[in-house]
């Protein structure tokens, strides 16, 4: 998985059948590459996921301090050793109302890619605003790297929604600290909090609407934190810093409220695959 192909700068990828084609594959010939960036996804919806029977899931707790435990879930393909690893940060909904579907997805990712997936959980807003979730994820990764008994080979980092935001922030800091993440795997990541606050209101209520995302930003950020700060919005990081990121795999639904901001972020990267899923929302 982590032996990335050479990726032409600014390639926009549409996948006809992501799973059947080899979801997040190493061989770009197995997917259709489009350089026109026409914004039109050609992917079918991902199939309904169920946990894969050939993947084990187990809980892990590591003592961060005498009074604090960090919680993880580990997904491991059965009868496999010498595994590469993805540190995966579930989004806010993925840790709460959507935990079971996300567990199924992580199980399938583990099976399809033949990797170990370690889900990193953190305390949530509004009781725990930025930078608490970010600091907890950094602490969790330090524990996994230095205090766990897990043998780690190549390591990627990823996440979905707000978890994708945290994964990006950690990966950007890792450039400074020379932590060798091999890839970044992002599902519908929040990348620009300022653009999110500027979304035009549309009819509708509930999950994934402009109102929903604006409430998330206002809940997540302290009142003194600017939403266009690079500390919280990867889109606003310096281009030369984003160019140093390892290859990024972006997955976004073309009907997602924040899809255009994800596309705009991808245009600032040097190495990436973009999988656009037709008829898919956040």
């Amino acid at each position: 998985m982590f032996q990335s192909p050479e990726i032409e700068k600014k390639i926009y990828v549409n996948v006809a059948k992501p799973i059947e084609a080899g979801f997040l594959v190493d061989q770009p010939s197995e997917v259709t590459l489009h350089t026109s960036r026409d914004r039109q996804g050609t992917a079918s919806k991902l199939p309904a996921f169920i946990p894969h029977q050939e993947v084990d899931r187990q809980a892990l707790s590591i003592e961060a301090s005498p009074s604090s435990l960090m919680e993880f879930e580990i997904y491991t393909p059965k009868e496999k050793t010498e595994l590469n690893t993805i540190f995966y940060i579930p989004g806010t909904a993925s840790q709460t109302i959507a935990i079971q579907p996300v567990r199924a997805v992580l199980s399938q990712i583990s099976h399809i890619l033949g990797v170990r997936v370690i889900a990193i959980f953190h305390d949530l807003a509004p009781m725990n605003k930025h930078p608490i979730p970010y600091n907890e994820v950094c602490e969790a990764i330090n524990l996994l790297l230095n205090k766990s008994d897990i043998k780690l080979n190549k390591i990627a980092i990823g996440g979905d929604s707000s978890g994708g935001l945290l994964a990006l922030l950690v990966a950007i800091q890792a450039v400074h600290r020379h932590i060798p993440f091999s890839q970044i795997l992002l599902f519908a990541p929040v990348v620009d909090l300022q653009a999110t606050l500027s979304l035009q209101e549309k009819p509708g209520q509930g999950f994934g609407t402009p109102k929903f995302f604006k409430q998330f930003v206002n809940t997540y950020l302290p009142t003194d934190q600017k939403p266009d700060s690079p500390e919280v919005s990867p889109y606003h990081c310096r281009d030369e810093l984003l160019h140093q990121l390892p290859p990024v795999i972006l997955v976004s639904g073309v009907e997602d409220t924040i899809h255009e901001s994800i596309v705009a972020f991808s245009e600032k990267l040097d190495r990436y695959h973009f999988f656009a899923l037709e008829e898919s929302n956040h």
Side-chain angles (χ1 to χ4, degrees), residues 20 48 52 85 115 121 156 164 185 226 250 271:
E20 290 80 356
H52 200 281
T85 300
V115 299
F121 298 98
L185 169 61
K226 294 182 178 180
L250 289 159
R271 297 173 294 170

Side-chain angles (χ1 to χ4, degrees), residues 99-131:
I99 184 64
Q100 295 305 328
V102 167
R103 282 174 171 160
V105 169
L106 296 183
S107 169
Q108 292 286 346
I109 289 174
S110 176
H111 170 71
I112 292 168
L113 300 181
V115 299
R116 176 194 298 113
V117 179
I118 302 180
I120 299 172
F121 298 98
H122 58 81
D123 290 329
L124 303 174
M127 298 300 294
N128 301 278
K129 292 180 178 288
H130 180 81

Side-chain angles (χ1 to χ4, degrees), residues 212-230:
F212 166 86
F213 281 108
K214 291 178 182 181
Q215 288 176 337
F216 160 73
V217 174
N218 291 326
T219 299
Y220 177 74
L221 285 186
T223 55
D224 60 349
Q225 178 71 67
K226 294 182 178 180
D228 61 351
S229 166

Side-chain angles (χ1 to χ4, degrees), residues 1 24 67 91 94 97 148 164 177 186 220:
M1 169 188 172
L24 309 183
S67 60
S94 300
I97 59 175
S148 75
R177 300 179 185 181
L186 304 171
Y220 177 74

Side-chain angles (χ1 to χ4, degrees), residues 51-193:
H52 200 281
Q53 295 181 349
E54 297 302 315
V55 173
D56 291 325
R57 175 171 64 90
Q58 66 182 84
L60 172 68
S61 298
I62 302 178
E63 186 178 87
S65 68
S67 60
S68 174
L69 285 176
M70 299 298 294
E71 303 292 336
F72 308 90
E73 287 185 356
I74 304 178
Y75 300 79
T76 309
K78 294 178 180 178
E79 301 179 358
K80 283 203 173 188
T81 58
E82 301 297 321
L83 293 168
N84 295 326
T85 300
I86 301 175
F87 293 157
Y88 191 90
I89 308 161
T92 301
S94 300
Q95 294 191 47
T96 52
I97 59 175
I99 184 64
Q100 295 305 328
V102 167
R103 282 174 171 160
V105 169
L106 296 183
S107 169
Q108 292 286 346
I109 289 174
S110 176
H111 170 71
I112 292 168
L113 300 181
V115 299
R116 176 194 298 113
V117 179
I118 302 180
I120 299 172
F121 298 98
H122 58 81
D123 290 329
L124 303 174
M127 298 300 294
N128 301 278
K129 292 180 178 288
H130 180 81
I132 292 174
Y134 170 79
N135 290 338
E136 288 185 348
V137 169
C138 289
E139 182 179 18
I141 290 174
N142 285 330
L143 289 172
L144 289 168
L145 293 175
N146 300 310
K147 289 189 176 182
S148 75
D149 295 327
I150 302 170
K151 183 178 180 181
L152 299 171
N153 295 318
K154 291 183 179 179
I155 305 168
I157 189 169
D160 59 86
S161 193
S162 62
L165 168 63
L166 291 173
L168 267 173
L169 294 177
V170 170
I172 290 167
Q173 284 301 311
V175 171
H176 294 301
R177 300 179 185 181
H178 306 291
I179 298 174
F181 290 126
S182 299
Q183 284 186 0
I184 305 171
L185 169 61
L186 304 171
F187 294 91
V190 178
V191 294
D192 185 352
L193 300 188

Side-chain angles (χ1 to χ4, degrees), residues 8 24 28 33 36-37 50 80 103 108 122 153 161 198 236 272:
E8 179 186 342
L24 309 183
L33 302 182
S36 62
R37 201 175 285 278
I50 58 174
K80 283 203 173 188
R103 282 174 171 160
Q108 292 286 346
H122 58 81
N153 295 318
S161 193
S198 303
H236 295 282
Y272 69 93

Side-chain angles (χ1 to χ4, degrees), residues 227-238:
D228 61 351
S229 166
E231 295 180 5
V232 294
S233 289
Y235 176 82
H236 295 282
C237 288
R238 292 179 290 111

